[in-house]
Amino acid sequence: MKGDQELQVIVQQGKEPNPTVQEERNQTGVTHSNTYKRLIRVAVYTFFVISGQSVATILGRIYYDNGGNSKWLATVVQLVGFPVLLPYYLLSIKTHTATTTHRDDGKAASLRNRVSVYVVLGVLVGADCYLYSIGLLYLPVSTYSLICASQLAFNAFFSYFLNSQKLTPIILNSLLLLTISSTLLAFNNEESNSQKVTKAQYVTSFLCTIGASAGFGLVLSLQQLAFRKVLKRQTFTEVMDMIIYLSLVASCVSLVGLFASSEWKALSSEMENYKLGKVSYVMNLVWTAITWQVFNIGGTGLIFELSSLFSNAISVLGLPVVPIMAVIIFHDKMNGLKVISMILAIWGFMSYVYQHYLDDKKMKKSVGIPKVESCDPLEAEGPNGQKIETSAS
């Protein structure tokens, strides 16, 4: 048997002289091309995340500054634009189905479990967006954005209990820095330039923004838990279904809140009295909805090109962009307390990312071991997939 295999290898080599050289050249060219295309996609998705989040937050502040008062309407526009994702879903499904390396156990969750996950998480997302709307109502946009950076700390905290994430010294350092960064802003009594804000209103918005950041971290951890324990797969289709159905449920929750609170009755007069005019009022709401979905497209793309951690990290990295824009557009004051808070937030962010970079590097090394060594020490694999017996040293 051994002689037959050796003869087969010799004959195959005689038919195709040096096949590995040409294959390696072709494979190298394809690898470089795919790498460049992937880097371009990552850059585009990163731009979508940072620009979408920044513009949407600025538009939310403009809405409040020019006569908008409906917190539930501000919540609705964060969520109701999810149909914009459908073309992206349909155009990308073939590509991601063919290239995705995410886990798929081949076991679809039951309809009841699936609906339960979507409803529970959708309600949490709707409540979370409402808290964000209250937070932006009375806080200067620069202060609001810096507080939102604490979502990484909450994500790590909840992941420790729900997903058994290890709290290494670097992660603990990140949690401490992000906590201090947000706590410092509690002592900042800066008023919004457009309105007089009482101490009670400032504290309310501050607590709501902290609560919203905690809720966002909880939702991310619960999503990870749902994929692992309930849905038991994390393919492109599964994640897009999660995003779309969550947005649908959350949109319904926000619409119920809008009508139950009777805020809808004042919307016509709100549009009439909007300082920038009716057209600007409508365009502000429309573009706020669109830019939040641009953010969602970028975040979803980064999940599949790299990881959910990187997607979340980029969204936090983009938060310091908003305070800079707020200084230029709204003339927010960047006092010493805010500068220190921003430095601590960026430091905490970099610590968080560095730890997960080390984890990812360690995981790649452990995963790469089976690819280098054959399962049978007496067998190797030929260029065309045939097994060639080798002598043991």
Side-chain angles (χ1 to χ4, degrees), residues 11-279:
V11 172
Q12 188 70 23
Q13 289 178 344
K15 290 180 179 179
E16 299 178 9
N18 297 328
T20 55
V21 175
Q22 185 64 34
E23 288 179 0
E24 287 178 357
R25 289 177 180 175
N26 294 337
Q27 187 176 4
T28 301
V30 172
T31 301
H32 285 311
S33 177
N34 290 338
T35 300
Y36 292 141
K37 290 180 181 179
R38 186 165 181 256
L39 288 175
I40 292 174
R41 290 197 300 269
V42 169
V44 171
Y45 289 140
T46 300
F47 175 76
F48 281 178
V49 168
I50 295 177
S51 61
Q53 178 179 246
S54 302
V55 174
T57 304
I58 293 297
L59 288 174
R61 181 73 264 168
I62 291 175
Y63 167 76
Y64 284 132
D65 284 354
N66 290 279
N69 294 305
S70 176
K71 298 180 287 294
W72 279 111
L73 181 61
T75 303
V76 169
V77 295
Q78 295 179 49
L79 301 163
V80 78
F82 71 90
V84 175
L85 294 174
L86 294 177
Y88 168 75
Y89 184 10
L90 298 176
L91 291 173
S92 303
I93 188 170
K94 291 184 179 180
T95 302
H96 286 293
T97 300
T99 60
T100 183
T101 58
H102 286 69
R103 181 171 57 84
D104 184 355
D105 295 338
K107 300 176 182 178
S110 66
L111 180 61
R112 184 182 65 180
N113 291 341
R114 192 179 296 273
V115 170
S116 298
V117 168
Y118 295 155
V119 170
V120 171
L121 292 180
V123 171
L124 287 176
V125 169
D128 195 51
C129 289
Y130 181 67
L131 291 177
Y132 274 126
S133 297
I134 298 176
L136 189 59
L137 178 60
Y138 297 120
L139 289 178
V141 67
S142 54
T143 304
Y144 165 85
S145 300
L146 290 173
I147 295 173
C148 287
S150 62
Q151 68 190 38
L152 265 182
F154 287 112
N155 188 17
F157 175 79
F158 288 119
S159 292
Y160 173 76
F161 293 102
L162 297 176
N163 300 305
S164 302
Q165 176 175 307
K166 295 180 180 179
L167 291 181
T168 64
I170 298 178
I171 289 291
L172 290 173
N173 176 65
S174 173
L175 297 181
L176 179 62
L177 291 171
L178 290 170
T179 302
I180 295 175
S181 172
S182 298
T183 304
L184 285 175
L185 296 174
F187 302 99
N188 185 30
N189 293 323
E190 180 185 1
E191 296 178 348
S192 174
N193 290 330
S194 61
Q195 56 184 336
K196 294 292 182 180
V197 178
T198 65
K199 183 70 174 179
Q201 290 173 332
Y202 183 92
V203 172
T204 299
S205 285
F206 178 86
L207 293 177
C208 285
T209 307
I210 289 289
S213 299
F216 185 76
L218 176 61
V219 167
L220 288 178
S221 299
L222 288 175
Q223 282 182 335
Q224 183 179 349
L225 182 65
F227 281 125
R228 185 163 51 90
K229 295 291 187 180
V230 182
L231 303 177
K232 297 182 180 179
R233 49 168 55 178
Q234 192 173 351
T235 61
F236 175 77
T237 302
E238 203 71 55
V239 174
M240 285 303 298
D241 285 345
M242 172 75 80
I243 293 172
I244 290 173
Y245 287 119
L246 252 64
S247 298
L248 175 61
V249 173
S251 297
C252 293
V253 170
S254 60
L255 287 172
V256 169
L258 177 64
F259 287 99
S261 65
S262 298
E263 287 186 3
W264 65 275
K265 296 179 181 179
L267 294 183
S268 57
S269 61
E270 183 178 281
M271 183 170 63
E272 290 287 342
N273 299 321
Y274 195 68
K275 295 178 182 179
L276 301 179
K278 296 180 181 178
V279 176

